[in-house]
Amino acid sequence: MTAAQGYLLLEDGAVFRGRAVGASGVAFGEAVFTTAMTGYQETVTDPSYEEQIVCFTAAMVGNYGVDPARDESSRPHAKAVLMRRCGGQAWAAWLGERAIVALDEIDTRAVVLRLRADGAMRAVAVADERVLPVDAALEQIRAQPRMEGQGLVAQVAPSEAYVHAERGSVCVALVDYGTKRSILRRLEAAGAAVTVHPPSVDADELAAYDGVLLANGPGDPEPLRDEVAQIERLLGRTSVLGICLGHQLLGLATGHETYKLPFGHRGANHPVLERATGRVLVTSQNHGFAVKPTDAAEASYVSLYDGTVEGFDFLDLDARSVQFHPEASPGTHDAYPILERWVEGLAR
């Protein structure tokens, strides 16, 4: 590990100093935090963390090493990583090799308390203060765009369609706004032939499949007007399941509203109420935007933290969605059966 003295600077001027353990350099992004105790490699490679600086609340991160099988995409998407303690040389080396600025010995509790009180903020993580002094960094932070209004899907989505799994009892199209590999693996394991499409895919092409999964992805859903228009054209023509950003886009396509959460829902311990049964699920989540609370009958799941809509079930349209991640990578398995049950329903 290197021993350079670095820092995190928030747009409100708060400075948190730490030790550089990853790549050298400077990383601008939105500072957010996750409460997950495991899954650090999955987190950093999740496309939903595009343009974000991730603060881990776990006391030690990296203590069980790294493995290529845990990557959720082909590259890291988090701009920087903040830790109280880096628990292993393999993790530090992995971050450094992938040009990720990483700081440990950060007072992560203080960072999280500030973000909870004042909301997610634009920030910079600097590996060596000599490269960019604090006084010079603040103006650069405030010149960065805010997350509101940023449609980041184009930065992470494929430009062309490809086949992930050729054989299966049903044929599923996955619209890739920034999907995680674990979703693809779960669909294949459930018995689906899976073709991945870019967000620009036409609704007429999607309607030919037994089912369409609207995947997760980063950024603000509201600027994605073309994607919402295609979902509007698709609804009622085949079965639809939305996850995370896909849930938000389904909400916009059906007349609901989205908004930016103060500090987001990120972690593997978020309680969600299943309205039909009264059951509470402990879920894995990663999003900074949400569907506004509503009493509409189609709102099938709600957050027990803030009442935001955590799922839809449009019986007349054969469309449903969840804000949380049923693939649970990382996370608890309360919602694990959702993907398999959907695929099984397509085969009936």
Side-chain angles (χ1 to χ4, degrees):
M1 297 183 183
T2 62
Q5 290 300 303
Y7 65 88
L8 168 74
L9 175 64
L10 301 178
E11 67 175 282
D12 66 357
V15 181
F16 303 87
R17 300 188 184 278
R19 178 182 64 151
V21 295
S24 59
V26 172
F28 291 91
E30 181 187 45
V32 299
F33 64 88
T34 175
T35 56
M37 299 293 288
T38 61
Y40 45 85
Q41 189 177 339
E42 292 91 333
T43 294
V44 172
T45 57
D46 181 348
S48 294
Y49 278 104
E50 183 80 359
E51 300 296 337
Q52 291 179 324
I53 296 171
V54 182
C55 179
F56 288 95
T57 61
M60 180 185 292
V61 178
N63 50 314
Y64 58 82
V66 295
D67 187 330
R70 300 191 190 112
D71 287 349
E72 287 291 351
S73 64
S74 61
R75 65 175 177 87
H77 292 274
K79 300 297 291 291
V81 169
L82 310 173
M83 302 166 282
R84 179 68 187 90
R85 181 179 176 187
C86 180
Q89 179 61 41
W91 173 233
W94 188 94
L95 291 165
E97 290 164 3
R98 287 156 181 78
I100 301 298
V101 174
L103 303 174
D104 81 345
E105 298 183 359
I106 290 280
D107 186 348
T108 54
R109 179 177 174 84
V111 173
V112 170
L113 289 174
R114 197 168 195 98
L115 296 179
R116 282 182 57 188
D118 299 327
M121 301 184 204
R122 293 171 295 178
V124 66
V126 179
D128 189 338
E129 188 171 354
R130 295 170 296 183
V131 174
L132 180 63
V134 172
D135 292 343
L138 189 58
E139 184 177 351
Q140 295 185 40
I141 291 174
R142 292 173 176 169
Q144 301 298 312
R146 297 185 183 277
M147 190 59 72
E148 296 97 320
Q150 287 201 63
L152 301 179
V153 165
Q155 297 179 199
V156 301
S159 57
E160 297 180 351
Y162 65 91
V163 175
H164 171 76
E166 293 184 355
R167 297 181 180 181
S169 58
V170 296
C171 293
V172 168
L174 182 144
V175 185
D176 187 351
Y177 306 116
T179 194
K180 296 169 66 178
R181 286 175 174 171
S182 52
I183 295 176
L184 293 169
R185 290 194 297 266
R186 290 281 306 283
L187 288 173
E188 182 180 8
V194 183
T195 301
V196 179
H197 288 273
S200 59
V201 62
D202 189 85
D204 292 338
E205 185 172 358
L206 294 176
Y209 288 86
D210 297 316
V212 175
L213 192 147
L214 309 173
N216 62 292
D220 188 343
E222 288 195 2
L224 305 178
R225 296 180 179 87
D226 291 342
E227 290 81 352
V228 171
Q230 292 300 333
I231 296 171
E232 291 173 350
R233 292 184 56 230
L234 176 66
L235 289 175
R237 301 169 67 183
T238 189
S239 182
V240 173
L241 173 65
I243 294 176
C244 199
L245 179 62
H247 157 74
Q248 297 163 16
L249 295 176
L250 178 62
L252 291 172
T254 52
H256 293 271
E257 296 181 60
T258 59
Y259 73 112
K260 192 175 191 304
L261 294 166
F263 50 82
H265 297 168
R266 298 178 181 88
N269 53 357
H270 287 254
V272 168
L273 174 67
E274 185 176 48
R275 293 177 67 188
T277 65
R279 180 187 177 209
V280 176
L281 284 67
V282 179
T283 66
S284 179
Q285 303 202 14
N286 172 21
H287 58 103
F289 293 82
V291 177
K292 287 185 177 180
T294 177
D295 293 327
E298 61 263 22
S300 53
Y301 296 92
V302 295
S303 169
L304 291 180
Y305 282 152
D306 54 19
T308 52
V309 178
E310 291 277 352
F312 286 118
D313 193 351
F314 296 96
L315 296 176
D316 56 333
L317 298 174
D318 192 13
R320 58 202 52 79
S321 64
V322 289
Q323 177 64 79
F324 45 91
H325 283 265
E327 78 283 355
S329 182
T332 54
H333 288 181
D334 287 13
Y336 210 66
I338 289 175
L339 279 168
E340 281 77 9
R341 289 174 182 168
W342 180 64
V343 173
E344 290 170 3
L346 300 179
R348 293 172 188 163

